[in-house]
Amino acid sequence: MKDLTKGTPARIMISFAVPVALGNMFQLCYSLADTRVVGSALGETALAAVGAASISTLFIGFLSGLTNGFSLLIAREFGAGNKEGVKRFAAGSLLLGAVTALSLTLACLAGLPWILGLLNVPQELLIQSDSYIRVILSGLFVTMLYNACASVLRAVGDTTAPLLFLIFAAVLNVVLDLVFIMYFGWGIEGAAFATVLSQ
């Protein structure tokens, strides 16, 4: 925990913002790694199937926004020195995030054929897109859990720990992509499992 009210404002803002910006870049590494490895190892059809399954980004962004919203309340309570308020809003973030993530997962998995049809996914990509996005959607709870914990840490002034976790996860994702696709031969599902497990 870091008190952001003490010290030079410019230095505090830079030391807070730089890890957040770097973290956003490493977050992109997940999809870039999947794209690169899948495109190189499995070909254009598999790469197009990963692209067609990008609707999962919408749900991940929604959960991220939900947990980030709680971070404002947590930061306010932390700034006021109210530890009970910090605990209460952190628990609320995890509870609401868990309920929302599980509800979204069940609804999306049940309606996945309809969603892919709505997106006009070509018939030749349907099977691969379905298998990729099913794994990603099954991991929404894990993604929410990371985002909720990272939001709590940022709310109390720690932007370095979430960055270090992201760097580790991004590197692990690349390694797991290569192992699952090249060594185990799991195909496009291997890329999805690598993403979920690294998160």
Side-chain angles (χ1 to χ4, degrees):
M1 292 190 247
K2 184 178 178 183
D3 190 346
L4 299 177
T5 62
K6 294 176 182 170
T8 309
R11 183 175 292 169
I12 290 170
M13 286 190 293
I14 290 170
S15 68
F16 184 87
V18 168
V20 173
L22 290 172
N24 287 337
M25 289 194 316
F26 276 100
Q27 194 91 27
L28 292 173
C29 288
Y30 282 102
S31 58
L32 291 175
D34 285 350
T35 301
R36 177 69 176 149
V37 175
V38 167
S40 298
L42 301 175
E44 292 176 6
T45 304
L47 181 59
V50 170
S54 63
I55 186 69
S56 59
T57 306
L58 173 69
F59 304 119
I60 292 168
F62 175 77
L63 289 171
S64 179
L66 180 100
T67 55
N68 282 332
F70 270 97
S71 69
L72 298 173
L73 301 171
I74 294 167
R76 184 187 67 195
E77 297 299 316
F78 178 71
N82 183 1
K83 290 183 180 178
E84 287 305 312
V86 170
K87 289 178 186 176
R88 185 165 47 93
F89 285 120
S93 172
L94 289 171
L95 178 62
L96 184 59
V99 170
T100 306
L102 292 174
S103 301
L104 266 176
T105 299
L106 293 174
C108 289
L109 289 176
L112 190 55
W114 177 79
I115 292 170
L116 292 175
L118 190 66
L119 294 172
N120 290 323
V121 175
Q123 194 66 37
E124 62 272 14
L125 302 179
L126 212 49
I127 293 172
Q128 287 187 321
S129 290
D130 184 88
S131 62
Y132 179 83
I133 198 169
R134 274 189 192 281
V135 175
I136 296 293
L137 290 174
S138 297
L140 277 181
F141 180 80
V142 175
T143 304
M144 177 283 306
L145 196 57
Y146 163 75
N147 284 324
C149 292
S151 293
V152 170
L153 287 172
R154 289 184 189 116
V156 297
D158 184 357
T159 56
T160 305
L163 173 62
L164 295 176
F165 290 132
L166 262 177
I167 292 170
F168 175 75
V171 171
L172 181 62
N173 182 48
V174 172
V175 171
L176 290 178
D177 269 340
L178 294 170
V179 169
F180 290 164
I181 293 173
M182 307 292 278
Y183 184 73
F184 290 134
W186 288 358
I188 196 168
E189 285 181 326
F193 278 115
T195 299
V196 171
L197 288 174
S198 62
Q199 287 178 345

